[in-house]
Each structure stands twice: as C-alpha cells, then as structure tokens.
Amino acid sequence: MKLKRNILLNPGPGTTTDSVKMAQVVPDICPREREFTEIMDVIRKDLVRIVHGDLEKYTSVLFCGSGTINMDVCLNSLLPLGKKVLIINNGAYSKRAVEICQHYGLNFINLNFEYTQQPDLELISKILKENIDISLVYATHNETGTGLLNPIREIGEIVHEHKAVFVVDTTSSYAMIPIDIEKDNIDFCMASAQKGLMSMTGLSFIIGNKSIIEASKDYPKRSYYCNLFSQYEYFVKTGEMRFTPPVQTIYSVRQALKEYWEEGEKAKWERHRRTFEALYNGIKSLGFRCLLDKEVQSGLVVAVRYPDDKNWDFSNIHNYCYTRGFTMYPGKISSMDTFRLCALGAINENDIGKFFQVFREALSYYGVSIPVIYKD
Ligand SMILES: *Cc1c(COP(=O)(O)O)cnc(C)c1O
C-alpha cells in the first residue's frame, strides 16, 4: 500500500514512517492474552530504558488516552492528604496543570513566570522554604506552546533538597532531547506515543520511581480511572492494563521502539536539531521574528510572530500549505499572535527545504511582502 506522506509541523501527532503505520494491521487479538501482555511488558521496559532508568528502581505505567491523562494522573495520585503542590507555570501546558489542580480541589501554589522566560530558581527555592507542606513539584520540560526549554536538572536539584517529589511533563521532549531520569533529578516523567516516539495516538505513559508509587498506595484516590497506584498494581499483578488498552497503537509502538533503537538516541536528537535549524533559518531568512530568544528555545518548536502586513492571514497560508502536504499550526499564547513550526516526527531538513518552497509560494500568492514587515 502506498500512502501519501504528509509533513506535520504541528506539535504532535507527528509524521510517522510507513512501517509504523502498517504495524497496526495485525490479526485480531484479545488484549488479555499472554501474547499481548508480553508485548506490553517489553514496551514498558523499553520506555524506562529511553530515559536511562535502572529497571530495579524505575517502572513505566501505561494508560489509554492522550498526553493530558498523564498530567491528570500524576497530579491527582501523588499528593498525600494535607500536602501542597507547587506548579512552576511558564506556559500553556503548566497552566493546564493548574487547571487540573483546581478541578480536583487540590491545595496548590501557582508560581507564575513570564511565558517567554525560564523560571527564577531562587524564587522556587524561597517558595519551597516558606511552604514546608509542599510535597509535589510540577514543571514542564519543553513548553510546547512557545518552545521554551526549562532547566529541569537545576529545578529538580532544588526540589530534592526540600525532599519533595518532582514531576516533569516531558511529553514534547521525551525520546527526542536525551533525558537521564536519575541525573536530571526527575521522579516522574511522561509522554505519549504520538510525539517523540513517532507512533500513533492513544497510548500515554508515565515513567517513575517505583518506591514513590508504592508509597502512594494510601493517598486519597481522587479518580477512579486515572489513578497511578491502581494502574501500576494491576500491571504488577497481571501484566495488563486495568481497562481496555489501545491494542493497535501498542503494535505500532513496538515497531516505533524498534526504529528508535535503530536510529539511536544521539542520531535522532541530531536529526531533530537539524530539522529545527532548517526551520529556524528558513523563518529568519524570510524576515520573520521569533517569540523567544534562541538561548531559551528547546530546539523542537519555533513560535513565530505574525508580521504586520495587511495581506497576512494565517488561515490562508495554512490552507495553501496544507493542501500541498504541509501542516502549520497556530500559536498558544494569548498575549501575542504567533504560529508554530515543530521539528517532531519522522522528518528531516530536506522536508523543511521543500516546506519553505511552498511557504514562500504561499506568501507571494497572497501578496505578503518578503522579507516580511513589522511595525516596531
Ligand atoms: C502534547 C502535550 C501534552 C498532551 O496533550 P494531549 O493533547 O492530551 O495529547 C502535554 N504536555 C505537553 C508539553 C505537550 O506537548
């Protein structure tokens, strides 16, 4: 079967290889059969290995759902009664974590920073000192809304000095930016299959410290479906998910992992970097301005300011490119109009070269000046 290859520059799901797509087509199987649970067992170990976790100390817990399920699970499951969560909030995804805390009525501190800047580490330390009841700290690695990279290792060190548990949303960095769970001072990280792993939607996973999960056994069970300990315990006892897993996605993940190890951590990250550089340089050469300074960018997402040109209309440009196989994506901050281009997925710098031919054509077609213009 020959499928059209679309280049997705949105922040996930990303472009996948045909072999990953085709891996979903398998004979029907009941996921409670051993043949299937054995596949999940191998996948669970591989997911820990990707962040260099010691399998004695770390485990992974799978859930059926999109990436937000991981955020929900970690926040609602890992907070003991009478304790507080600290959310380091400098982007749309950490804001979502705040909303989850509000939803569950958790006791939390929303520590807001500028969405274009890395957080102030001294302030984090001060807040932790002043609030000895904080037992859980939450941060986002790559804030996908802007492409801002947070200094996880440094934040984690402070969190651990205060004996709190550190949860990091690595959904848009896992299996791309090399992560070492132990060295990076992470207790829990997370992702879903359709981002760095370059697989299909429907499977999400949390990788974390077994003894902390075991200690959470008697914490309040605030959700019936989305509880970390319950799902973990079920895996330990049966090797299965508590409820129906995304069967076909799991087959695609098995293939995606095979391709991950074949490409290799270093080569894969270098490919994403080259893809990003091609995006960044292409944007700059057309005169566009980025939202963030280059030093704080993750190297996976570039957020670009709309030019001040009466002929600029994002949806026109988007539609022109979309019908030619390239998907652009709107921005995610309310204070400024931006669009985003991402270096996730099974794409490389050559694809970006082709994208810019089409993008440039789209700008000319709609009469947008090149180089683009800004009033200030
Ligand atoms: C994609 C993403 C998520 C999850 O979003 P879903 O729409 O639920 O898949 C969470 N955090 C970050 C940083 C992300 O990039």
Side-chain angles (χ1 to χ4, degrees), residues 7 10 19 28-29 31 113 153 212 223 292 368:
I7 303 302
N10 49 296
S19 39
D28 295 320
I29 185 168
F113 295 100
R153 187 176 291 196
I212 299 176
S223 166
L292 298 184
V368 178

Side-chain angles (χ1 to χ4, degrees), residues 11 66-69 71 93 96 138 140 142-144 169-172 192 194-195:
S66 81
T68 305
I69 199 172
M71 304 167 64
Y93 287 94
R96 187 178 298 176
Y138 183 101
T140 308
N142 170 26
E143 263 294 352
T144 327
D169 176 353
T170 54
T171 313
S172 61
S192 48
Q194 80 273 18
K195 296 220 176 168

Side-chain angles (χ1 to χ4, degrees), residues 244-262:
T244 309
V247 177
Q248 286 70 24
T249 296
I250 285 174
Y251 281 97
S252 84
V253 167
R254 178 170 69 168
Q255 177 62 25
L257 284 165
K258 185 169 169 271
E259 293 174 19
Y260 176 87
W261 299 120
E262 278 164 9

